[in-house]
Amino acid sequence: MHVYIVRHTSVVLDGNETCYGDMDIDVRPTFEEEARVTRAALEGLSFDGVFSSPLQRARKLADFCGYGFATLDDRLKEMNFGDWEGQPWAEIIKDEPVDQFFARYIEGVPPGGESLMMQYARVRDFFLEKRREGYKQILVFCHGGVINCARTITGEVRLVDAFATLPGFGSVTRLDFTHLED
């Protein structure tokens, strides 16, 4: 199964300053300009399934690109940071190197949220299910964390290294799930 996985366009909050994951925040006023680039990158491609995170930043891009009919799936949401959602990172990360802080949350659970391993498991479940259902080529509108989990599932990166780089806003990443084992 081949997957074209699209990250939403930029949002009104700066993720380097404010923690947001599954908060349902809106896109920036530059949305249409950014979305046109994404739509052009998808031209000429065909899919036997189209799916989206239910969060508005992903749904709006799916709709703009002509896929307003995309099937919504909660497993495609960004990581749930629980009590940290909407808080400044400077207040969350204190007296600890950033890399050590985030290494703890690969398996550790933020208060009221989910760990990276929990997100990974639900993303993996989604892609395994779609492959079992016989899809050959799908399109997915979602979030950077979901894309990095998917890249890990295909063996492109290790989970501990995946978040060193996030795919750009509005980017299209092609992944091959053909050889994925259940």
Side-chain angles (χ1 to χ4, degrees):
M1 178 177 74
H2 295 103
V3 177
Y4 286 80
I5 191 166
V6 178
R7 185 177 183 203
H8 60 79
T9 59
S10 63
V11 296
V12 295
L13 292 177
D14 181 344
N16 292 319
E17 295 177 12
T18 305
C19 175
Y20 71 86
D22 74 349
M23 281 179 61
D24 201 11
I25 56 176
D26 206 354
V27 295
R28 289 188 180 197
T30 55
F31 170 75
E32 285 195 20
E33 178 183 332
E34 295 175 56
R36 277 190 211 99
V37 174
T38 305
R39 184 170 59 195
L42 296 172
E43 283 181 21
L45 297 172
S46 61
F47 308 98
D48 55 349
V50 181
F51 305 89
S52 178
S53 160
L55 299 178
Q56 66 177 315
R57 57 194 187 263
R59 284 191 343 261
K60 283 184 177 183
L61 185 55
D63 188 48
F64 186 91
C65 291
Y67 300 99
F69 59 86
T71 302
L72 304 181
D73 194 305
D74 282 341
R75 293 173 293 180
L76 298 173
K77 283 184 174 181
E78 187 56 278
M79 185 173 162
N80 178 354
F81 288 102
D83 296 347
W84 296 348
E85 296 279 346
Q87 302 298 313
W89 280 113
E91 291 180 19
I92 298 168
I93 303 174
K94 296 179 183 178
D95 305 322
E96 183 177 13
V98 173
D99 57 338
Q100 289 177 13
F101 176 87
F102 283 109
R104 284 191 293 125
Y105 291 97
I106 291 174
E107 294 191 24
V109 180
E114 69 180 333
S115 69
L116 179 55
M117 285 304 298
M118 292 164 75
Q119 180 187 30
Y120 173 88
R122 67 175 158 82
V123 171
R124 187 173 192 280
D125 181 63
F126 170 83
F127 287 112
L128 286 173
E129 175 185 283
K130 298 308 156 203
R131 198 184 69 186
R132 280 191 308 270
E133 290 174 350
Y135 288 99
K136 301 297 182 210
Q137 183 158 287
I138 65 173
L139 177 61
V140 174
F141 292 88
C142 59
H143 312 274
V146 173
I147 297 169
N148 279 341
C149 286
R151 291 173 57 222
T152 300
I153 294 163
T154 63
E156 187 177 304
V157 299
R158 295 180 323 145
L159 194 58
V160 295
D161 301 323
F163 290 86
T165 58
L166 278 174
F169 288 115
S171 65
V172 179
T173 301
R174 184 181 184 275
L175 296 172
D176 183 356
F177 284 82
T178 309
H179 303 293
L180 183 64
E181 297 199 17
D182 285 319

